mmCIF file of all heavy atoms in Angstrom:
data_model
loop_
_atom_site.group_PDB
_atom_site.id
_atom_site.type_symbol
_atom_site.label_atom_id
_atom_site.label_comp_id
_atom_site.label_asym_id
_atom_site.label_seq_id
_atom_site.Cartn_x
_atom_site.Cartn_y
_atom_site.Cartn_z
ATOM 1 N N LEU A 1122 -3.962 -103.574 72.602
ATOM 2 C CA LEU A 1122 -3.643 -103.637 71.172
ATOM 3 C C LEU A 1122 -4.841 -103.185 70.349
ATOM 4 O O LEU A 1122 -4.713 -102.387 69.414
ATOM 5 C CB LEU A 1122 -3.251 -105.067 70.774
ATOM 6 C CG LEU A 1122 -1.769 -105.432 70.824
ATOM 7 C CD1 LEU A 1122 -1.592 -106.932 70.690
ATOM 8 C CD2 LEU A 1122 -0.996 -104.695 69.731
ATOM 9 N N VAL A 1123 -6.015 -103.696 70.715
ATOM 10 C CA VAL A 1123 -7.241 -103.324 70.000
ATOM 11 C C VAL A 1123 -7.467 -101.813 70.107
ATOM 12 O O VAL A 1123 -7.778 -101.150 69.102
ATOM 13 C CB VAL A 1123 -8.452 -104.096 70.583
ATOM 14 C CG1 VAL A 1123 -9.745 -103.562 70.005
ATOM 15 C CG2 VAL A 1123 -8.314 -105.588 70.297
ATOM 16 N N ARG A 1124 -7.309 -101.259 71.289
ATOM 17 C CA ARG A 1124 -7.532 -99.817 71.491
ATOM 18 C C ARG A 1124 -6.581 -98.979 70.647
ATOM 19 O O ARG A 1124 -6.982 -97.993 70.017
ATOM 20 C CB ARG A 1124 -7.361 -99.456 72.969
ATOM 21 C CG ARG A 1124 -8.416 -100.025 73.885
ATOM 22 C CD ARG A 1124 -8.226 -99.531 75.320
ATOM 23 N NE ARG A 1124 -9.031 -100.314 76.239
ATOM 24 C CZ ARG A 1124 -8.583 -101.337 76.959
ATOM 25 N NH1 ARG A 1124 -7.302 -101.682 76.880
ATOM 26 N NH2 ARG A 1124 -9.389 -102.008 77.757
ATOM 27 N N GLN A 1125 -5.288 -99.349 70.671
ATOM 28 C CA GLN A 1125 -4.316 -98.548 69.940
ATOM 29 C C GLN A 1125 -4.460 -98.710 68.436
ATOM 30 O O GLN A 1125 -4.326 -97.737 67.684
ATOM 31 C CB GLN A 1125 -2.898 -98.890 70.396
ATOM 32 C CG GLN A 1125 -2.605 -98.422 71.818
ATOM 33 C CD GLN A 1125 -1.122 -98.349 72.112
ATOM 34 O OE1 GLN A 1125 -0.309 -98.160 71.211
ATOM 35 N NE2 GLN A 1125 -0.757 -98.493 73.379
ATOM 36 N N ILE A 1126 -4.744 -99.909 67.989
ATOM 37 C CA ILE A 1126 -4.931 -100.126 66.556
ATOM 38 C C ILE A 1126 -6.116 -99.331 66.042
ATOM 39 O O ILE A 1126 -6.088 -98.772 64.940
ATOM 40 C CB ILE A 1126 -5.103 -101.639 66.273
ATOM 41 C CG1 ILE A 1126 -3.764 -102.364 66.440
ATOM 42 C CG2 ILE A 1126 -5.670 -101.888 64.870
ATOM 43 C CD1 ILE A 1126 -3.851 -103.870 66.403
ATOM 44 N N ALA A 1127 -7.168 -99.252 66.870
ATOM 45 C CA ALA A 1127 -8.378 -98.526 66.460
ATOM 46 C C ALA A 1127 -8.099 -97.058 66.166
ATOM 47 O O ALA A 1127 -8.812 -96.426 65.376
ATOM 48 C CB ALA A 1127 -9.451 -98.655 67.543
ATOM 49 N N LYS A 1128 -7.054 -96.496 66.764
ATOM 50 C CA LYS A 1128 -6.731 -95.080 66.574
ATOM 51 C C LYS A 1128 -6.138 -94.788 65.197
ATOM 52 O O LYS A 1128 -6.118 -93.635 64.764
ATOM 53 C CB LYS A 1128 -5.735 -94.614 67.639
ATOM 54 C CG LYS A 1128 -6.259 -94.686 69.067
ATOM 55 C CD LYS A 1128 -5.167 -94.285 70.043
ATOM 56 C CE LYS A 1128 -5.645 -94.408 71.485
ATOM 57 N NZ LYS A 1128 -4.561 -94.073 72.448
ATOM 58 N N TYR A 1129 -5.641 -95.833 64.512
ATOM 59 C CA TYR A 1129 -4.900 -95.624 63.266
ATOM 60 C C TYR A 1129 -5.700 -96.012 62.019
ATOM 61 O O TYR A 1129 -5.129 -96.334 60.985
ATOM 62 C CB TYR A 1129 -3.582 -96.403 63.322
ATOM 63 C CG TYR A 1129 -2.679 -95.937 64.440
ATOM 64 C CD1 TYR A 1129 -2.480 -96.728 65.569
ATOM 65 C CD2 TYR A 1129 -2.040 -94.709 64.378
ATOM 66 C CE1 TYR A 1129 -1.654 -96.298 66.607
ATOM 67 C CE2 TYR A 1129 -1.214 -94.273 65.406
ATOM 68 C CZ TYR A 1129 -1.026 -95.073 66.518
ATOM 69 O OH TYR A 1129 -0.216 -94.647 67.546
ATOM 70 N N ASN A 1130 -7.002 -95.976 62.127
ATOM 71 C CA ASN A 1130 -7.901 -96.189 60.980
ATOM 72 C C ASN A 1130 -7.667 -97.508 60.233
ATOM 73 O O ASN A 1130 -7.391 -97.514 59.028
ATOM 74 C CB ASN A 1130 -7.772 -95.025 59.986
ATOM 75 C CG ASN A 1130 -8.142 -93.698 60.609
ATOM 76 O OD1 ASN A 1130 -9.139 -93.586 61.319
ATOM 77 N ND2 ASN A 1130 -7.320 -92.680 60.351
ATOM 78 N N PRO A 1131 -7.775 -98.639 60.930
ATOM 79 C CA PRO A 1131 -7.663 -99.923 60.229
ATOM 80 C C PRO A 1131 -8.909 -100.169 59.385
ATOM 81 O O PRO A 1131 -9.962 -99.567 59.619
ATOM 82 C CB PRO A 1131 -7.572 -100.932 61.384
ATOM 83 C CG PRO A 1131 -8.357 -100.285 62.488
ATOM 84 C CD PRO A 1131 -8.094 -98.817 62.365
ATOM 85 N N LYS A 1132 -8.784 -101.060 58.429
ATOM 86 C CA LYS A 1132 -9.951 -101.421 57.612
ATOM 87 C C LYS A 1132 -10.940 -102.226 58.451
ATOM 88 O O LYS A 1132 -12.169 -102.028 58.385
ATOM 89 C CB LYS A 1132 -9.511 -102.229 56.395
ATOM 90 C CG LYS A 1132 -10.654 -102.644 55.483
ATOM 91 C CD LYS A 1132 -10.135 -103.436 54.293
ATOM 92 C CE LYS A 1132 -11.289 -103.870 53.380
ATOM 93 N NZ LYS A 1132 -10.773 -104.654 52.213
ATOM 94 N N GLN A 1133 -10.401 -103.137 59.271
ATOM 95 C CA GLN A 1133 -11.244 -103.995 60.109
ATOM 96 C C GLN A 1133 -10.416 -104.521 61.279
ATOM 97 O O GLN A 1133 -9.213 -104.747 61.143
ATOM 98 C CB GLN A 1133 -11.791 -105.163 59.280
ATOM 99 C CG GLN A 1133 -12.791 -106.039 59.998
ATOM 100 C CD GLN A 1133 -13.316 -107.164 59.094
ATOM 101 O OE1 GLN A 1133 -12.544 -107.886 58.487
ATOM 102 N NE2 GLN A 1133 -14.626 -107.283 59.015
ATOM 103 N N ILE A 1134 -11.068 -104.695 62.432
ATOM 104 C CA ILE A 1134 -10.420 -105.300 63.601
ATOM 105 C C ILE A 1134 -11.166 -106.581 63.956
ATOM 106 O O ILE A 1134 -12.395 -106.567 64.101
ATOM 107 C CB ILE A 1134 -10.435 -104.351 64.816
ATOM 108 C CG1 ILE A 1134 -9.599 -103.101 64.535
ATOM 109 C CG2 ILE A 1134 -9.899 -105.055 66.062
ATOM 110 C CD1 ILE A 1134 -9.590 -102.109 65.673
ATOM 111 N N ILE A 1135 -10.422 -107.661 64.103
ATOM 112 C CA ILE A 1135 -11.011 -108.954 64.471
ATOM 113 C C ILE A 1135 -10.457 -109.355 65.832
ATOM 114 O O ILE A 1135 -9.253 -109.565 65.994
ATOM 115 C CB ILE A 1135 -10.677 -110.045 63.440
ATOM 116 C CG1 ILE A 1135 -11.120 -109.606 62.041
ATOM 117 C CG2 ILE A 1135 -11.318 -111.370 63.818
ATOM 118 C CD1 ILE A 1135 -10.457 -110.371 60.932
ATOM 119 N N ILE A 1136 -11.350 -109.429 66.808
ATOM 120 C CA ILE A 1136 -10.971 -109.868 68.153
ATOM 121 C C ILE A 1136 -11.279 -111.350 68.280
ATOM 122 O O ILE A 1136 -12.419 -111.771 68.082
ATOM 123 C CB ILE A 1136 -11.746 -109.082 69.230
ATOM 124 C CG1 ILE A 1136 -11.415 -107.593 69.160
ATOM 125 C CG2 ILE A 1136 -11.444 -109.632 70.623
ATOM 126 C CD1 ILE A 1136 -12.262 -106.741 70.082
ATOM 127 N N VAL A 1137 -10.255 -112.131 68.597
ATOM 128 C CA VAL A 1137 -10.445 -113.566 68.825
ATOM 129 C C VAL A 1137 -10.070 -113.865 70.273
ATOM 130 O O VAL A 1137 -8.960 -113.547 70.710
ATOM 131 C CB VAL A 1137 -9.575 -114.405 67.869
ATOM 132 C CG1 VAL A 1137 -9.708 -115.891 68.198
ATOM 133 C CG2 VAL A 1137 -9.955 -114.141 66.419
ATOM 134 N N ASP A 1138 -11.010 -114.446 71.022
ATOM 135 C CA ASP A 1138 -10.731 -114.766 72.425
ATOM 136 C C ASP A 1138 -11.658 -115.884 72.869
ATOM 137 O O ASP A 1138 -12.805 -115.959 72.421
ATOM 138 C CB ASP A 1138 -10.925 -113.527 73.310
ATOM 139 C CG ASP A 1138 -10.127 -113.624 74.609
ATOM 140 O OD1 ASP A 1138 -10.365 -114.582 75.376
ATOM 141 O OD2 ASP A 1138 -9.279 -112.753 74.845
ATOM 142 N N ILE A 1139 -11.173 -116.736 73.770
ATOM 143 C CA ILE A 1139 -11.985 -117.837 74.277
ATOM 144 C C ILE A 1139 -12.840 -117.405 75.458
ATOM 145 O O ILE A 1139 -13.840 -118.034 75.793
ATOM 146 C CB ILE A 1139 -11.085 -119.038 74.671
ATOM 147 C CG1 ILE A 1139 -11.923 -120.298 74.942
ATOM 148 C CG2 ILE A 1139 -10.222 -118.672 75.877
ATOM 149 C CD1 ILE A 1139 -12.726 -120.782 73.759
ATOM 150 N N TYR A 1140 -12.451 -116.274 76.109
ATOM 151 C CA TYR A 1140 -13.179 -115.804 77.295
ATOM 152 C C TYR A 1140 -14.125 -114.689 76.880
ATOM 153 O O TYR A 1140 -13.705 -113.574 76.581
ATOM 154 C CB TYR A 1140 -12.187 -115.325 78.357
ATOM 155 C CG TYR A 1140 -12.818 -114.906 79.655
ATOM 156 C CD1 TYR A 1140 -13.822 -115.671 80.256
ATOM 157 C CD2 TYR A 1140 -12.413 -113.758 80.313
ATOM 158 C CE1 TYR A 1140 -14.399 -115.292 81.452
ATOM 159 C CE2 TYR A 1140 -12.989 -113.365 81.518
ATOM 160 C CZ TYR A 1140 -13.986 -114.147 82.081
ATOM 161 O OH TYR A 1140 -14.565 -113.764 83.272
ATOM 162 N N GLU A 1141 -15.417 -114.979 76.889
ATOM 163 C CA GLU A 1141 -16.379 -114.049 76.306
ATOM 164 C C GLU A 1141 -16.547 -112.764 77.100
ATOM 165 O O GLU A 1141 -16.838 -111.704 76.520
ATOM 166 C CB GLU A 1141 -17.753 -114.725 76.113
ATOM 167 C CG GLU A 1141 -18.521 -115.058 77.386
ATOM 168 C CD GLU A 1141 -18.176 -116.416 77.957
ATOM 169 O OE1 GLU A 1141 -17.093 -116.948 77.631
ATOM 170 O OE2 GLU A 1141 -18.987 -116.940 78.738
ATOM 171 N N ASN A 1142 -16.388 -112.804 78.411
ATOM 172 C CA ASN A 1142 -16.605 -111.595 79.210
ATOM 173 C C ASN A 1142 -15.642 -110.471 78.842
ATOM 174 O O ASN A 1142 -16.042 -109.323 78.626
ATOM 175 C CB ASN A 1142 -16.491 -111.914 80.703
ATOM 176 C CG ASN A 1142 -17.650 -112.748 81.208
ATOM 177 O OD1 ASN A 1142 -18.609 -112.988 80.480
ATOM 178 N ND2 ASN A 1142 -17.572 -113.202 82.443
ATOM 179 N N ASN A 1143 -14.344 -110.798 78.788
ATOM 180 C CA ASN A 1143 -13.352 -109.786 78.427
ATOM 181 C C ASN A 1143 -13.549 -109.292 77.002
ATOM 182 O O ASN A 1143 -13.435 -108.095 76.720
ATOM 183 C CB ASN A 1143 -11.934 -110.354 78.582
ATOM 184 C CG ASN A 1143 -11.512 -110.447 80.039
ATOM 185 O OD1 ASN A 1143 -12.174 -109.923 80.922
ATOM 186 N ND2 ASN A 1143 -10.408 -111.128 80.287
ATOM 187 N N ALA A 1144 -13.801 -110.233 76.102
ATOM 188 C CA ALA A 1144 -14.005 -109.853 74.695
ATOM 189 C C ALA A 1144 -15.207 -108.924 74.560
ATOM 190 O O ALA A 1144 -15.180 -107.943 73.799
ATOM 191 C CB ALA A 1144 -14.195 -111.106 73.843
ATOM 192 N N TYR A 1145 -16.270 -109.218 75.294
ATOM 193 C CA TYR A 1145 -17.475 -108.388 75.237
ATOM 194 C C TYR A 1145 -17.195 -106.975 75.772
ATOM 195 O O TYR A 1145 -17.658 -105.977 75.198
ATOM 196 C CB TYR A 1145 -18.590 -109.039 76.058
ATOM 197 C CG TYR A 1145 -19.858 -108.215 76.138
ATOM 198 C CD1 TYR A 1145 -20.746 -108.167 75.065
ATOM 199 C CD2 TYR A 1145 -20.144 -107.482 77.283
ATOM 200 C CE1 TYR A 1145 -21.899 -107.401 75.135
ATOM 201 C CE2 TYR A 1145 -21.302 -106.717 77.362
ATOM 202 C CZ TYR A 1145 -22.178 -106.686 76.289
ATOM 203 O OH TYR A 1145 -23.314 -105.916 76.353
ATOM 204 N N GLU A 1146 -16.421 -106.892 76.860
ATOM 205 C CA GLU A 1146 -16.125 -105.585 77.453
ATOM 206 C C GLU A 1146 -15.356 -104.688 76.494
ATOM 207 O O GLU A 1146 -15.688 -103.505 76.331
ATOM 208 C CB GLU A 1146 -15.334 -105.769 78.746
ATOM 209 C CG GLU A 1146 -16.192 -106.248 79.914
ATOM 210 C CD GLU A 1146 -15.391 -106.407 81.198
ATOM 211 O OE1 GLU A 1146 -14.223 -105.946 81.216
ATOM 212 O OE2 GLU A 1146 -15.910 -106.984 82.162
ATOM 213 N N VAL A 1147 -14.319 -105.225 75.862
ATOM 214 C CA VAL A 1147 -13.546 -104.384 74.947
ATOM 215 C C VAL A 1147 -14.361 -104.051 73.698
ATOM 216 O O VAL A 1147 -14.253 -102.959 73.128
ATOM 217 C CB VAL A 1147 -12.194 -105.042 74.599
ATOM 218 C CG1 VAL A 1147 -12.378 -106.271 73.725
ATOM 219 C CG2 VAL A 1147 -11.276 -104.031 73.903
ATOM 220 N N GLN A 1148 -15.212 -104.981 73.274
ATOM 221 C CA GLN A 1148 -16.095 -104.714 72.138
ATOM 222 C C GLN A 1148 -17.013 -103.530 72.451
ATOM 223 O O GLN A 1148 -17.140 -102.592 71.651
ATOM 224 C CB GLN A 1148 -16.926 -105.955 71.809
ATOM 225 C CG GLN A 1148 -17.924 -105.746 70.670
ATOM 226 C CD GLN A 1148 -19.013 -106.810 70.674
ATOM 227 O OE1 GLN A 1148 -19.609 -107.066 71.717
ATOM 228 N NE2 GLN A 1148 -19.251 -107.422 69.530
ATOM 229 N N GLN A 1149 -17.657 -103.555 73.605
ATOM 230 C CA GLN A 1149 -18.576 -102.480 73.973
ATOM 231 C C GLN A 1149 -17.849 -101.152 74.165
ATOM 232 O O GLN A 1149 -18.369 -100.081 73.823
ATOM 233 C CB GLN A 1149 -19.327 -102.855 75.265
ATOM 234 C CG GLN A 1149 -20.291 -104.017 75.102
ATOM 235 C CD GLN A 1149 -21.284 -103.779 73.971
ATOM 236 O OE1 GLN A 1149 -22.008 -102.779 73.965
ATOM 237 N NE2 GLN A 1149 -21.310 -104.685 73.009
ATOM 238 N N GLU A 1150 -16.632 -101.220 74.678
ATOM 239 C CA GLU A 1150 -15.833 -99.997 74.853
ATOM 240 C C GLU A 1150 -15.578 -99.318 73.515
ATOM 241 O O GLU A 1150 -15.728 -98.091 73.378
ATOM 242 C CB GLU A 1150 -14.505 -100.363 75.518
ATOM 243 C CG GLU A 1150 -13.598 -99.176 75.771
ATOM 244 C CD GLU A 1150 -12.252 -99.598 76.350
ATOM 245 O OE1 GLU A 1150 -12.207 -100.610 77.082
ATOM 246 O OE2 GLU A 1150 -11.253 -98.906 76.059
#
Side-chain angles (χ1 to χ4, degrees):
L1122 268 168
V1123 171
R1124 292 184 193 98
Q1125 291 198 27
I1126 288 171
K1128 297 177 183 178
Y1129 298 108
N1130 299 316
K1132 180 180 179 180
Q1133 186 179 51
I1134 295 179
I1135 304 161
I1136 298 173
V1137 176
D1138 204 301
I1139 191 61
Y1140 184 45
E1141 69 272 21
N1142 290 353
N1143 285 349
Y1145 176 77
E1146 285 181 11
V1147 70
Q1148 177 199 49
Q1149 292 306 303
E1150 181 184 329

